[in-house]
Amino acid sequence: VQLQASGGGLVQAGDSLRLSCALDGRILAQYSTAWFRLAPGKEREFVASISWSGSGSTYYADSVTGRFIISRSNQQMFLQMSGLEPEDTATYFCAGKRGQDLYADLARYEYWGQGTKVTVSS
């Protein structure tokens, strides 16, 4: 399974940005995918996840709830980010795993793509 994130860039605080993750054809309904981020000097942290079965259950980190929305369409996953804050500055990665259960634990995810960098200036 291959994943490729894109859409990062330099924005100002309060701006919006949409990240995309292209997924190869092997992402099936039995999979779930997620966004994680890695900020300088910090550990990689969970952002949001979505199931590829049915309507797509979602799960968010408290820090982004109400500001970020995860979605999927065909073979792409998206992260719509609004109200960006300097604390959201990080490299964002998409990840995938077999199974529909949604987890924040990065160890659960088997497949990882290269990241896309988001910088939010104050």
Side-chain angles (χ1 to χ4, degrees):
V1 176
Q2 294 184 344
L3 307 94
Q4 180 62 54
S6 63
L10 172 63
V11 298
Q12 293 186 332
D15 284 352
S16 298
L17 194 65
R18 190 176 84 155
L19 305 182
S20 300
C21 178
L23 312 169
D24 77 11
R26 286 175 286 177
I27 294 293
L28 305 173
Q30 295 81 10
Y31 281 66
S32 54
T33 53
W35 289 97
F36 286 80
R37 65 187 181 185
L38 180 62
K42 296 185 178 181
E43 296 183 350
R44 190 172 300 197
E45 68 170 354
F46 170 78
V47 176
S49 61
I50 188 167
S51 168
W52 282 74
S53 66
S55 61
S57 299
T58 58
Y59 176 43
Y60 294 92
D62 290 344
S63 60
V64 305
T65 297
R67 299 189 300 124
F68 292 9
I69 298 174
I70 189 172
S71 62
R72 57 173 171 82
S73 178
N74 296 323
Q75 291 304 120
Q76 290 198 83
M77 177 177 65
F78 304 99
L79 187 67
Q80 178 66 48
M81 305 185 292
S82 302
L84 283 163
E85 304 167 351
E87 292 74 22
D88 295 316
T89 294
T91 299
Y92 285 71
F93 298 86
C94 48
K97 67 172 188 64
R98 287 168 287 186
Q100 300 169 25
D101 294 332
L102 303 179
Y103 295 105
D105 182 0
L106 61 87
R108 296 276 191 172
Y109 292 83
E110 305 164 70
Y111 312 105
W112 291 86
Q114 293 182 327
T116 185
K117 188 173 182 180
V118 174
T119 303
V120 184
S121 64
S122 57

